[in-house]
Amino acid sequence: AGTARLLAQQADAEGKSVSELLDVYLPRDREGAPTCNFDEAGKDITTTCRGSSEDAAAKGIKECDLLIMSYVLDIFRLYDKDDSDRLAAREVQKALRYFDIYISIVQMQRIVCMFLRDIGAASPEEEATAELTSTHFCMLLLDIDKYRLSPRSRSIRAYFQSIPASKRSDILARVVVPVFVVV
């Protein structure tokens, strides 16, 4: 996670998206992999294979370090329906569920705004309109524990939004089953 955090910070500092930075460190040909030449039994054979970029090797970045960033970007793109490279707080909340992070929408809006201010970016006056770019989403995901201090919610809806579906089902079963047993 340390290298992933550095990559996200580097992308932000260079004004690039994490996706652009991954393209630098994982160069590909048209089919998706670099081309290599092999000499086997005196014959020149050209085939496609994967290889690390010289830039990544020089910085000590391994593909296993980039794996988490690729996965995070895949999840980000899943919720970025309009390809704007931005997710609203509600979309961020849904995307974080893939990482077993459950936060109510009101808390998510606050967290996105706090995070934006912490990294020196402007946050909107109305928290409900806050958005994150793919780079900022990666950075927030790596630092999300810093922003989750109060697990208690004031409303039932917010509480249910901030717990996993399995726990919601358990609570519902504890209420519904006794009612059916009595009836």
Side-chain angles (χ1 to χ4, degrees), residues 6 55 57 68 114 118 135 154 177-178:
L6 291 174
D55 195 21
I68 190 170
M114 285 188 291
D118 285 349
T135 303
R154 293 184 182 193
V177 170

Side-chain angles (χ1 to χ4, degrees), residues 10-119:
Q10 178 185 352
D12 191 43
E14 294 178 6
K16 295 180 178 179
S17 71
V18 174
S19 181
E20 291 171 322
L21 204 59
L22 286 175
D23 287 342
V24 169
Y25 292 134
L26 297 170
R28 311 229 185 276
D29 69 3
R30 287 177 295 177
E31 285 79 36
T35 304
C36 303
N37 292 319
F38 293 96
D39 187 13
E40 183 181 317
K43 296 180 182 178
D44 285 331
I45 298 172
T46 301
T47 185
T48 56
C49 65
R50 290 181 171 256
S52 297
S53 74
E54 292 177 15
D55 195 21
K59 293 184 179 186
I61 298 171
K62 301 194 182 313
E63 285 197 35
C64 61
D65 296 329
L66 300 173
L67 180 63
I68 190 170
M69 298 303 281
S70 296
Y71 181 70
V72 170
L73 283 174
D74 289 343
I75 300 303
F76 181 89
R77 289 183 188 123
L78 184 67
Y79 286 94
D80 185 21
K81 304 277 189 221
D82 60 355
D83 291 328
S84 64
D85 193 46
R86 296 191 168 278
L87 291 183
R90 182 169 295 281
E91 296 166 320
V92 171
Q93 176 204 26
K94 290 177 182 176
L96 289 178
R97 290 179 186 163
Y98 273 87
F99 303 97
D100 287 333
I101 299 170
Y102 300 89
I103 300 173
S104 72
I105 187 61
V106 173
Q107 287 176 323
M108 191 74 253
Q109 292 167 347
R110 288 184 190 142
I111 288 171
V112 168
C113 289
M114 285 188 291
F115 172 77
L116 288 172
R117 289 189 297 269
D118 285 349
I119 63 168

